[in-house]
Amino acid sequence: MDRRIWKARLMPNMRDEYVRRHDEIWPEMIDELRAAGIRNYTIWNNGDELIGYYECEDLTACEAYKAQSEVMRRWSVSMQGIMEMETDPEKGSVKTFDQLFKLM
């Protein structure tokens, strides 16, 4: 099982809108997340920080699916002005995190 963590920043005064949009998440977005192999997806918030975590069977296949998904592209566009994903300036893509410790 592969795991992915992402980090983002809420734009000022947008927490309520962010929550509302996730309370009303598009059914086709849920379908696309599942089709990409994503499971156990959770998002946390502290101040203006967002941290997301999910699991998938094959991270490479998951990322490839997400990259070609029109629904996910529309969702990303719809979230502009509400949040900003933290990106890796060298790669120009969503910043990834290295696992340093795991307790089972």
Side-chain angles (χ1 to χ4, degrees), residues 43-59:
I43 301 171
W44 291 273
N45 168 241
N46 184 355
D48 69 349
E49 287 185 298
L50 295 169
I51 303 288
Y53 168 88
Y54 62 85
E55 299 169 349
C56 57
E57 289 298 321
D58 180 341
L59 188 56

Side-chain angles (χ1 to χ4, degrees), residues 7 13 24 28 30 36 42-43 51 53 59 67 70 73 77 85 87 94:
K7 185 175 177 185
N13 303 311
E24 300 172 5
E28 62 268 29
I30 296 292
T42 53
I43 301 171
I51 303 288
Y53 168 88
L59 188 56
E70 180 59 33
R73 200 170 4 266
V77 168
M85 293 297 290
T87 58
V94 174

Side-chain angles (χ1 to χ4, degrees), residues 16-104:
D16 290 344
E17 181 62 15
Y18 183 89
V19 170
R20 184 189 71 77
R21 292 203 187 183
H22 284 80
D23 286 346
E24 300 172 5
I25 194 167
W26 310 333
E28 62 268 29
M29 183 60 174
I30 296 292
D31 292 344
E32 284 293 90
L33 292 168
R34 289 185 174 137
I38 293 173
R39 303 290 182 269
N40 195 24
Y41 196 168
T42 53
I43 301 171
W44 291 273
N45 168 241
N46 184 355
D48 69 349
E49 287 185 298
L50 295 169
I51 303 288
Y53 168 88
Y54 62 85
E55 299 169 349
C56 57
E57 289 298 321
D58 180 341
L59 188 56
T60 301
C62 177
E63 294 297 319
Y65 188 94
K66 287 173 22 180
Q68 63 79 36
S69 170
E70 180 59 33
V71 172
M72 291 187 182
R73 200 170 4 266
R74 283 190 294 117
W75 179 263
S76 292
V77 168
S78 78
M79 297 302 285
Q80 290 177 358
I82 295 171
M83 63 176 279
E84 185 175 83
M85 293 297 290
E86 189 168 307
T87 58
D88 182 328
E90 292 179 17
K91 297 179 184 175
S93 59
V94 174
K95 189 177 210 177
T96 58
F97 293 80
D98 296 325
Q99 179 179 313
L100 301 179
F101 175 78
K102 180 180 176 181
L103 175 67
M104 296 295 290

